[in-house]
């Protein structure tokens, strides 16, 4: 990867410690001075620069549920009140509603949620004079406003980054969360988690296949170079998942937050981000953990505008309207290009026959030799109830050996058995003939001599 000129590594940033498989959670926090809530709104440069405010002329995400699989979302944050409409805990260590912040970086889920679907709020100034009303009644004048401020959030809390006191691993938690989200009406799933390994446990296949079969858009963070993720890691490597890479303020691949790989679909802001923290405060942050919810928010805008549009068509709208960057065409740093939310909502985009970022079903058929003739995952429990553990593996199931493969060993066994019977039978005949041709035994006891077979006896 060619690094942009004039870059300066941000020593204030630190990679999040939360781990998924053997990698780090895709994001980084930055120390920030205290500021009033409305000053945080002023920092959201991506709303105008990436066409999001223009896209709001078409849609704000109303009626779309977006699941956030993360460390839990604080639904009582001033900018998220009324946004969280359901939740569960897949770790066994959190609250049933998924709103308790857990794991090594408990603030992470709330940061993601405010960036995706924050609604802002109206607050009083120090002189107790209320803030002027927003021209848009659905968005408060202060605080963080998300890309899809009218979307609804489903929170699936998972324990990552440190030993889970309940004992459930990510191999169980992630597929449980995906299946729960699908069964509870999510049309978009955001996974701002990354790893240093491109491979994923086979226990995940069934859940991601289930989401694909149920027409759900899954968006995942590509991962951060500063966190050790030079190459994109799972779950962002799973076919069918829209993987998001990170950009700096100059719309160039971020030095700290720009993992690379052939699975990258689109690029979005990853530096100079802001978000809400559990308890009602705010924080500067950076990383593809923030890039992913920006793109998830755009997916929610599209699904709100066109409720019947398929997941592959939604993804195609995002990647086909992206502004080309880097090497011409799709490349392993920018994917199809830089996010353009306005074009994704307003452009005339031809339909496609397949998902431009692949299909987990096809991958399973080729690489797992799976049988996809029957849908497998059963519906999970109702909201606010932990989902059952996904067995490893469940589907796909290996195909049974073909008939010609089993016929050859059987023929060999039967053949050897027949030969053995023939040998025994031949030996019996020879013994009988030898007995008939022997002379009468002498009156005296035998002396140990062996009677010879008559050479003139026809054998």
């Amino acid at each position: 990867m060619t690094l942009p000129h004039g870059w300066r590594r941000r020593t204030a940033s630190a990679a999040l410690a939360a781990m998924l498989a053997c990698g780090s959670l895709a994001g980084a926090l930055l120390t920030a001075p205290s500021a009033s809530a409305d000053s945080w709104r002023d920092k959201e440069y991506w709303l105008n620069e990436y066409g999001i405010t223009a896209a709001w002329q078409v849609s704000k995400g109303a009626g779309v549920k977006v699941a956030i699989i993360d460390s839990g979302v604080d639904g009582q944050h001033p900018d998220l009140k009324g946004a969280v409409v359901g939740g569960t805990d897949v770790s066994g260590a959190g609250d049933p509603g998924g709103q308790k912040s857990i794991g090594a970086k408990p603030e992470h889920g709330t940061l993601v949620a405010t960036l995706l679907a924050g609604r802002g709020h109206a607050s009083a100034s120090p002189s107790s004079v209320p803030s002027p009303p927003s021209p848009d009644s659905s968005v408060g004048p202060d605080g963080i406003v998300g890309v899809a401020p009218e979307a609804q959030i489903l929170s699936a809390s998972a324990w990552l980054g440190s030993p889970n006191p309940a004992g459930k691993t990510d191999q169980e938690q992630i597929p449980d969360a995906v299946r729960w989200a699908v069964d509870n009406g999510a049309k978009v799933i955001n996974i701002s988690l990354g790893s240093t390994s491109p491979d994923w446990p086979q226990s995940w296949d069934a859940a991601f296949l289930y989401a694909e079969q149920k027409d759900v858009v899954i968006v995942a963070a590509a991962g951060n170079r500063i966190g050790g993720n030079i190459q994109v890691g799972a779950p962002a490597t799973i076919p069918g998942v829209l993987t998001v890479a990170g950009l700096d303020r100059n719309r160039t691949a971020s030095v700290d937050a720009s993992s690379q790989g052939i699975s990258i679909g689109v690029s979005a802001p990853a530096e100079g981000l802001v978000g809400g923290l559990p308890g009602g405060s705010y924080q500067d942050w950076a990383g593809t953990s923030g890039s992913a919810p920006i793109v998830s928010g755009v997916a929610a805008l599209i699904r709100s505008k066109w409720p019947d549009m398929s997941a592959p068509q939604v993804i195609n709208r995002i990647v086909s309207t992206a502004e080309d960057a880097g090497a011409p065409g799709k490349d392993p740093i920018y994917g199809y290009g830089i996010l353009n939310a306005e074009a994704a909502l307003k452009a005339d985009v031809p339909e496609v026959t397949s998902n431009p970022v692949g299909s987990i079903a096809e991958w399973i058929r080729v690489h797992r030799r799976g049988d996809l003739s029957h849908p497998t995952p059963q519906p999970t429990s109702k909201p606010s109830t932990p989902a059952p553990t996904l067995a490893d593996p469940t589907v796909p199931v290996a195909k049974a050996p073909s008939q010609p493969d089993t016929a050859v060993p059987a023929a060999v066994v039967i053949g050897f058995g027949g030969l053995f019977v023939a040998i025994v039978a031949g030996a019996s005949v020879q013994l009988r003939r030898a007995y008939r041709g022997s002379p009468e035994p002498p009156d005296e006891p035998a002396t140990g001599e062996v009677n010879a077979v008559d050479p003139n006896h026809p054998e």
Side-chain angles (χ1 to χ4, degrees):
M1 170 182 173
T2 301
L3 300 181
H5 296 293
W7 66 271
R8 179 171 59 86
R9 184 166 296 278
R10 291 148 182 80
T11 57
S13 62
L16 291 182
M19 306 293 284
L20 176 61
C22 59
S24 63
L25 196 64
L29 295 179
L30 306 177
T31 303
S34 59
S36 60
D38 55 349
S39 69
W40 293 102
R41 176 76 58 86
D42 296 338
K43 295 183 177 184
E44 295 186 83
Y45 65 90
W46 54 90
L47 296 179
N48 289 322
E49 294 181 15
Y50 287 81
I52 294 166
T53 53
W56 288 345
Q57 298 169 359
V58 178
S59 168
K60 291 185 178 176
V64 176
K65 291 181 180 179
V66 182
I68 296 176
I69 300 175
D70 216 292
S71 62
V73 176
D74 178 12
Q76 297 305 308
H77 190 283
D79 299 338
L80 293 175
K81 287 187 176 180
V84 181
V85 297
T88 192
D89 172 64
V90 296
S91 72
D95 286 341
Q99 296 189 42
K100 177 183 178 181
S101 300
I102 60 175
K105 291 295 177 181
E107 71 277 3
H108 196 263
T110 303
L111 286 165
V112 169
T114 51
L115 198 57
L116 196 160
R119 301 182 175 188
H121 66 277
S123 60
S125 66
S127 60
S128 299
V129 177
S131 301
S134 169
D136 181 354
S137 59
S138 66
V139 176
D142 297 332
I144 304 298
V145 59
V147 175
E150 294 181 1
Q152 299 172 321
I153 294 174
L154 297 174
S155 174
S157 59
W159 190 291
L160 302 169
S162 62
N164 181 359
K168 291 184 67 175
T169 68
D170 53 68
Q171 293 195 24
E172 300 171 279
Q173 295 179 70
I174 299 302
D176 281 354
V178 170
R179 289 172 54 185
W180 177 88
V182 174
D183 287 335
N184 286 278
K187 301 304 292 182
V188 180
I189 297 175
N190 186 91
I191 308 179
S192 286
L193 308 169
S195 71
T196 55
S197 171
D199 301 320
W200 60 92
Q202 189 170 345
S203 60
W204 292 10
D205 286 358
F208 282 83
L209 172 63
Y210 189 44
E212 183 174 283
Q213 292 173 336
K214 295 295 185 178
D215 199 42
V216 177
V217 174
I218 299 182
V219 179
N224 302 323
R225 294 174 64 87
I226 195 172
N229 297 6
I230 297 175
Q231 296 292 326
V232 176
T237 52
I238 297 177
V241 172
L242 179 55
T243 300
V244 186
L247 302 172
D248 62 19
R249 286 299 306 269
N250 297 319
R251 299 166 69 90
T252 303
S254 170
V255 174
D256 289 344
S258 184
S259 298
Q260 54 185 296
I262 60 173
S263 64
I264 290 176
V266 70
S267 303
E271 297 190 18
L273 305 178
V274 294
L277 296 174
S281 59
Y282 300 89
Q283 181 67 282
D284 288 315
W285 65 314
T288 53
S289 276
S291 308
I294 290 175
V295 174
S296 291
V298 174
L301 301 182
I302 296 172
R303 303 217 86 163
S304 176
K305 172 62 178 177
W306 296 285
D308 297 328
M309 183 175 288
S310 69
Q313 303 298 338
V314 172
I315 293 174
N316 182 60
R317 271 197 162 265
I318 293 173
V319 300
S320 65
T321 57
E323 301 172 9
D324 195 18
K330 188 177 186 295
D331 66 78
I333 297 177
Y334 295 91
Y336 287 93
I338 298 172
L339 177 71
N340 185 334
E342 181 179 14
L345 268 295
K346 296 182 178 179
D348 185 10
V349 178
E351 291 189 358
V352 293
T353 57
S354 61
N355 190 333
V357 295
S359 166
I360 183 62
E362 179 63 16
W363 189 92
I364 289 173
R365 186 188 68 80
V366 173
H367 296 278
R368 305 283 200 212
R369 298 183 182 275
D371 181 1
L372 306 179
S373 59
H374 303 288
T376 45
Q378 298 298 318
T380 56
S381 54
K382 297 180 180 180
S384 301
T385 302
T389 298
L390 181 65
D392 181 16
T394 52
V395 293
V397 180
K399 294 182 179 179
S402 61
Q403 186 62 33
D405 294 335
T406 57
V408 173
V412 172
V413 172
I414 294 173
F416 274 107
L419 180 60
F420 177 77
V421 172
I423 291 173
V424 172
S428 299
V429 171
Q430 292 291 343
L431 289 173
R432 287 197 300 271
R433 289 176 177 176
Y435 178 79
R436 288 198 301 270
S438 62
E440 293 296 330
D443 294 336
E444 297 296 328
T447 60
E449 296 179 356
V450 178
N451 295 321
V453 176
D454 185 355
N456 296 321
H457 193 282
E459 292 294 342

